[in-house]
Amino acid sequence: MPASTADSTVIERPGQVVHTAQPAPVRRSKSRPQLGAERFRKWWTPLLWVGPSVAALIAFSIVPFANTVGLSFTDARALGGPVRSVGLDNYRILLESNEFRNAVFNSILYMLIAVPLLVMLPLLVACLVNGTFRFGGFFRSAFYIPAVASTVVIAIVWQMALRDDGPVNAILTAVTPIQEAVPFLSDRWLLLFSAIALTVWKGIGFYMVLYLAALANVDETLYEAATIDGAGPVRRFFHVTLPGVRPMMYVVGVLSAIGSLRVFSEIYILGGPTGGIGGQDATVPFYIRNVGLAVDGKLGLGSAASVMLFVLTVGFLLASQRLGSKAEE
Amino acid sequence: MKRHSSRGVSALSCLAVLALAGCGASGSDPGAGGGSASGNASGVAAKPAAGCKSGDQNPTGKPEGEITFQTTNLKKDFSGFFTKLIADFEKQYPDVKVKWIDDPGDAGFNSRILAQARACDLPDVVNVTADTVNELNKAGDLVDIDKVAPDAGKVFVPTIWDSIKSTSNAAHPALPWYWGPSVQVYNKDLWQKAGLSKPPTTVNGLLDDAVQVGKKSGGKYYAIIGNRDWDYMTDWQSLGVQLMNSDQTKFTFGDDSKAVSYLDKLRQVYQSGGMRKDSVTGPGDPTNDYSAGTLVWGSSNASFLRYLQQNAPKVYDASAVAPYPTNPDGTVPFNGQYVSVPTNSKHQAAAVAFARFLTNDANQLAWCKDPKVVIFPTTSAALKDPYFTSGSGSGAFGEARKIAAQAALKAKANPAVPYFSGTVSTAIQKAFQQVVTGQKPAATALKEAQDAANASLDS
C-alpha cells in the first residue's frame, strides 16, 4: 500500500482516492499532473450537466409562473394597454363567477372519475399482457397505440363515431330498443363522460407500460411462495402484485390527476369551442383559454384562474400525499 | 419518515409547477390531459401603456431597407405567386429587400400575434383579420395609412374603403385585401324533396324554409347546421340588428327584437328537425355535412364550391347558387383579410409601399385568377374585370363567381363587427346554444350575452 497521508486519506493508486473513517479535504500536490478522468473533474463540472436543464426550467416554467402570479393582481389585457393593480379583484370575480365555479366542478369531477380508472385499468391490462405468451408483443403494442396517437386526432375520430348520425348511434338504434340517437355530444353529462372515456382509453396504454416496468421488479419468489401457500390468482393479485406496484400506482395517480385537471382538447373537440351547450362542460383550462387568451382577453383574470388551478392541483397532491403517508404508517 | 414526506411534497410541488406553469400547448403527456390549453394565461411581460414606439422617424421618406412580410397559411399553396410578386416589387424598389414568413394560421395564431404585439415585434407588413386590426389599432400599434399615403384608398371599392375607417381614431389602420362575399349554395335535389320552390331572399324566409325542410325530411337530411358562428353576423346585418351604439362603446344587440326573433326562429328549426341536434356544438363549417349530401344549405363562402367540385362531384352537380340576402340598404357585409403596417416597423415607407403593391389592382386580380383559389379582390377595377363579370368557369362555380363579384361592388364593413370576436363571440355562441336547445328564452340569453360582452368592454 502506498504511503498514508497526515489527514488519513489513503492513496491506493494514482488517480484514486479512498476516504478512511476520518474524512478530510483531499490535498494534492499542485505540481502533480492530473491523469485520466480526473482532469475533467472540476468543481463546476456538475453545473455544466444540470445548467441547461435548470436554465430551461427557469426560463420556461419558473419565470412564466412568477409572471402569471404577478399578472393575476392586475387588469392586464391580452394586447397590452395600461396595466393597473387591482389587488384581489380578479380572485373575487372568479369566486363569484358561476362559470368559473362550474369549470372547477367539472375539472374535479373529471379527475375523480378518470383517476381511479386510470390507476386500476392499466394495471389490470398490464397483468393480462405481462409475461411471455403467444402474441404478447402484439397485444402490448396494440394497447400502446392510442398513447402514441395525437389527442386531437383521436378526439376527432371519437367525435365522428359519437355523432347523432355516427356509427355508434347507428348500431345502438339498430340492435337495441333505443329509437332516437343518444346525444353523446350535446347532453351535459353524456358529453363529460364521453370525454372521460376518451381520456381513459388513451391513457391505458401509456400507464400500462409503467406498470409493466413495475411488475418486472416484483420478486417472482413471492408469487411462488403464495402459490405454495394455496393463494389463487385473485389473492396473489391483492397480496403480492398490488403491494409490489403500490409506489407506481401513486405515480400514476399523480400524473393522471395533473393531466385530468389540465384536460382541454377532449372537451374542445367533442363539445365545440364553447365546451358543450352554453359552456356547461367547460373545464378550468377551458375557462382560462376563453377569458385570457382571446384577442380581447383579460390576461389578469386568466392569470388568476391559472393560479387557482395551480393551487387546486397542489392542494390535491398534498392531500393525496398525506393520505398515502398515513396509509403507509 | 418526515424527511421522506417533505421531499415528496417538494417533488410534487415542482411537478405541479412544471405541469401548470409551462407555456407549452404540446400536451405531450398521454392519457389524462393529453392536450392542454396550457395552465398559464400569460407567457409574456406586460407592455408599455401607449402602444409601441414608432420604429421609423421618417415614414414618408424613400422606401428602403429590409422588411418582413407575414402571411397566414399561404406558403404551402401560393409560394410561386408570392415569390414572383416579391421579386417584382424588389425590381421596382431596388433599395428594399422583402423577407417573406408564413404563419401556419392554426389555433395558436392569435397567441403568437398577441405575443409579437406585446413585445413590439410585429412584422413590417402583416396579414390580419378585422378583429386583430381593431385590437392592434386600439393599442396604438398600427400605422395610419392616411397619414403616410393619403391616396392609398383610391383603388379600393369606395364603400369598403370608407367603411373600414376606424371610428375610434378616424384612422385607416389597414388596407383591405382578399375576401369572399356570401352566396347561397343549396342542394337542388334535397330542395325539391322538401317541396321548396325558389331561393329565399330574406333571412327570415331562409329560416322558414329550413323549418319546412325539417318537417319533410324525417331526419334523413337537414336544412342547416346548428352552429351559426359563420353566418349569424351576416344574418344579423341583413336583418338590420343594431349591433352596438354609434360610437361602439356599448353592445345593443340584446335589446333588439330582431335578434331575439332570429334566435326564436332558429329554435323552431331545431325543434322541427331542420338541424342535426349535436351540430349546435359542432364545427361552424358545414362543408362535411353538405359534401355528404345530407344538408340543404352549404357554406356561404363561394370558395367552398371548389372543394366540392374536387371532392364531391355528385353533390356539386346537384348544387345551385343564389344571392345571399343583403343588408336593408342593399349593401352586403364586407368581412375580409387586411394588410397592416405596425408602428414598430423600422422601415415604414418600404412597408407601406409593399402593402400597397400587394393590394393594388393588378396583383389582386392576378392572385384571384390563380386556379388554386376562389377569392375576390377589394379593388373596383379588378371586380369589373371580365373574369368576374362573365362568370368564368362552368356550372354553379361560374355562377357563384359572378354573383359574388356583383355583390362585392356593394360591400360595406360594419364598424361594430370586429368587436364580435374573442370573449364576445364565445358569449354569443353560448346564448345561441342555450336558446336553440330550449334551455333559456331568447330575450334572457341574449341579454346575458350582451351584459358579458359589455363587461369585456368596460374592464
Side-chain angles (χ1 to χ4, degrees):
Chain A
M1 181 173 284
S4 175
T5 59
D7 57 6
S8 304
T9 300
V10 179
I11 309 294
E12 291 277 342
R13 60 174 184 268
Q16 184 182 7
V17 178
V18 176
H19 293 284
T20 61
Q22 291 174 304
V26 180
R27 288 176 196 151
R28 295 189 191 92
S29 163
K30 280 186 180 173
S31 58
R32 187 175 66 78
Q34 292 178 326
L35 302 171
E38 195 183 8
R39 279 184 297 170
F40 303 101
R41 208 173 289 149
K42 310 289 184 195
W43 67 267
W44 41 262
T45 305
L47 294 181
L48 283 182
W49 297 113
V50 300
S53 298
V54 170
L57 185 71
I58 292 171
F60 299 115
S61 290
I62 307 296
V63 170
F65 179 72
N67 188 36
T68 301
V69 174
L71 284 173
S72 73
F73 300 107
T74 70
D75 65 350
R77 303 295 294 244
L79 265 173
V83 177
R84 288 176 295 125
S85 170
V86 293
L88 293 170
D89 264 13
N90 287 327
Y91 292 94
R92 183 187 51 76
I93 292 169
L94 288 177
L95 293 174
E96 288 172 358
S97 161
N98 287 336
E99 225 176 309
F100 182 71
R101 283 203 294 258
N102 180 56
V104 171
F105 173 79
N106 286 336
S107 285
I108 291 176
L109 184 66
Y110 208 102
M111 183 184 70
L112 291 177
I113 298 174
V115 171
L117 293 172
L118 280 169
V119 169
M120 287 315 296
L121 291 180
L123 175 58
L124 295 176
V125 174
C127 289
L128 285 175
V129 301
N130 192 25
T132 51
F133 62 96
R134 210 173 176 192
F135 303 122
F138 167 77
F139 283 113
R140 281 190 286 273
S141 304
F143 280 116
Y144 193 69
I145 284 173
V148 179
S150 147
T151 303
V152 172
V153 172
I154 288 179
I156 289 172
V157 172
W158 274 58
Q159 194 262 348
M160 290 164 78
L162 296 174
R163 279 165 56 129
D164 284 358
D165 57 354
V168 172
N169 267 314
I171 293 168
L172 285 176
T173 48
V175 302
T176 69
I178 296 170
Q179 298 282 313
E180 279 199 5
V182 179
F184 290 110
L185 306 180
S186 51
D187 178 81
R188 193 248 192 277
W189 299 112
L190 284 175
L191 172 58
L192 199 65
F193 295 145
S194 299
I196 292 171
L198 195 165
T199 298
V200 172
W201 179 77
K202 182 168 163 50
I204 283 177
F206 178 74
Y207 296 122
M208 174 199 76
V209 171
L210 298 187
Y211 279 128
L212 283 173
L215 286 172
N217 288 328
V218 179
D219 193 346
E220 273 298 317
T221 58
L222 294 175
Y223 287 106
E224 288 164 12
T227 308
I228 291 166
D229 289 344
V234 176
R235 286 190 75 117
R236 286 203 298 273
F237 177 77
F238 281 108
H239 294 285
V240 180
T241 305
L242 271 188
V245 299
R246 185 171 292 153
M248 185 56 78
M249 288 174 78
Y250 183 70
V251 170
V252 170
V254 167
L255 289 177
S256 57
I258 291 175
S260 296
L261 289 171
R262 296 178 67 198
V263 83
F264 174 80
S265 300
E266 289 91 329
I267 301 279
Y268 184 86
I269 292 168
L270 294 183
T274 53
I277 302 284
Q280 56 194 3
D281 292 294
T283 53
V284 178
F286 222 101
Y287 180 88
I288 294 168
R289 177 247 186 202
N290 281 348
V291 302
L293 297 178
V295 76
D296 60 345
K298 295 176 186 170
L299 213 51
L301 190 61
S303 297
S306 294
V307 174
M308 297 281 267
L309 178 59
F310 173 78
V311 170
L312 186 69
T313 309
V314 171
F316 165 76
L317 294 178
L318 292 179
S320 60
Q321 210 271 344
R322 180 66 61 89
L323 285 174
S325 301
K326 276 194 176 171
E328 276 180 30
E329 283 166 12
Chain B
M1 188 68 192
K2 282 225 161 176
R3 200 174 152 186
H4 172 77
S5 299
S6 63
R7 240 188 283 154
V9 170
S10 309
L12 288 172
S13 301
C14 287
L15 198 59
V17 169
L18 282 173
L20 295 171
C23 293
S26 60
S28 58
D29 51 333
S36 163
S38 164
N40 186 349
S42 70
V44 284
K47 172 178 134 175
C52 302
K53 273 188 194 167
S54 179
D56 188 351
Q57 300 311 313
N58 188 17
T60 53
K62 186 186 171 203
E64 57 189 4
E66 182 173 326
I67 57 171
T68 305
F69 164 46
Q70 179 176 300
T71 51
T72 308
N73 194 23
L74 295 179
K75 209 160 206 167
K76 184 165 65 81
D77 293 324
F78 307 107
S79 184
F81 174 80
F82 284 101
T83 305
K84 183 180 175 304
L85 184 141
I86 289 167
D88 290 347
F89 176 77
E90 287 176 344
K91 208 170 164 186
Q92 197 171 323
Y93 294 90
D95 295 331
V96 183
K97 183 90 187 141
V98 180
K99 184 184 164 198
W100 178 27
I101 55 174
D102 191 51
D103 186 283
D106 56 9
F109 173 74
N110 268 346
S111 305
R112 287 189 292 276
I113 282 280
L114 297 181
Q116 286 173 324
R118 290 181 70 84
C120 294
D121 191 29
L122 285 160
D124 301 275
V125 181
V126 60
N127 169 203
V128 278
T129 50
D131 53 341
T132 313
V133 170
N134 189 42
E135 293 295 333
L136 290 173
N137 183 48
K138 279 197 289 184
D141 288 342
L142 298 178
V143 168
D144 179 4
I145 303 290
D146 286 339
K147 283 188 181 158
V148 292
D151 61 337
K154 283 181 182 166
V155 295
F156 300 107
V157 174
T159 46
I160 293 180
W161 181 251
D162 292 344
S163 61
I164 63 170
K165 191 168 192 167
S166 166
T167 50
S168 60
N169 60 355
H172 268 112
L175 298 177
W177 199 15
Y178 67 96
W179 71 302
S182 293
V183 290
Q184 282 188 71
V185 178
Y186 59 93
N187 185 317
K188 282 180 293 186
D189 295 348
L190 298 181
W191 176 276
Q192 280 161 3
K193 270 190 196 172
L196 299 173
S197 53
K198 55 180 182 179
T201 53
T202 63
V203 170
N204 283 329
L206 193 154
L207 295 180
D208 288 340
D209 286 352
V211 171
Q212 186 173 330
V213 170
K215 285 176 180 165
K216 293 254 183 169
S217 68
K220 290 185 180 129
Y221 57 94
Y222 303 94
I224 54 176
I225 55 166
N227 183 339
R228 305 311 298 160
D229 195 35
W230 280 26
D231 289 319
Y232 86 91
M233 192 43 62
T234 308
D235 290 351
W236 274 7
Q237 289 178 78
S238 177
L239 288 165
V241 172
Q242 183 71 42
L243 302 175
M244 297 183 85
N245 61 3
S246 56
D247 53 357
Q248 281 85 51
T249 52
K250 286 280 173 204
F251 287 94
T252 53
F253 61 87
D255 303 324
D256 194 318
S257 61
K258 293 187 283 291
V260 174
S261 144
Y262 174 77
L263 258 71
D264 282 333
K265 274 201 181 288
L266 276 178
R267 183 170 53 219
Q268 288 169 25
V269 177
Y270 177 89
Q271 286 168 343
S272 73
M275 60 175 76
R276 205 183 70 243
K277 291 192 171 166
D278 61 6
S279 69
V280 172
T281 54
D285 182 0
T287 300
N288 284 343
D289 289 4
Y290 189 87
S291 304
T294 57
L295 203 63
V296 172
W297 275 278
S299 169
S300 56
N301 191 325
S303 64
F304 136 88
L305 282 164
R306 164 78 70 200
Y307 172 87
L308 210 60
Q309 199 176 24
Q310 290 165 351
N311 298 287
K314 280 188 182 170
V315 178
Y316 174 78
D317 289 342
S319 296
V321 293
Y324 205 85
T326 62
N327 295 343
D329 62 358
T331 59
V332 301
F334 172 74
N335 189 14
Q337 296 285 326
Y338 292 84
V339 180
S340 285
V341 175
T343 48
N344 64 248
S345 170
K346 292 190 174 97
H347 306 287
Q348 289 176 15
V352 170
F354 182 73
R356 294 184 68 183
F357 186 80
L358 178 73
T359 56
N360 73 19
D361 204 70
N363 284 324
Q364 286 212 49
L365 183 61
W367 191 25
C368 290
K369 287 181 177 176
D370 190 311
K372 292 193 291 291
V373 73
V374 186
I375 51 171
F376 295 83
T378 45
T379 56
S380 304
L383 280 167
K384 289 171 186 162
D385 188 271
Y387 179 73
F388 291 111
T389 52
S390 65
S392 60
S394 60
F397 196 65
E399 190 61 21
R401 203 191 295 277
K402 199 171 165 182
I403 289 172
Q406 281 169 358
L409 284 165
K410 297 177 286 182
K412 193 170 90 173
N414 185 324
V417 171
Y419 290 86
F420 286 74
S421 65
T423 53
V424 176
S425 170
T426 305
I428 291 172
Q429 275 191 62
K430 286 179 185 172
F432 270 51
Q433 293 165 350
Q434 289 167 332
V435 173
V436 169
T437 56
Q439 290 182 6
K440 274 187 187 170
T444 310
L446 273 181
K447 196 82 175 69
E448 285 174 6
Q450 180 172 292
D451 290 343
N454 280 328
S456 80
L457 285 177
D458 293 339
S459 50

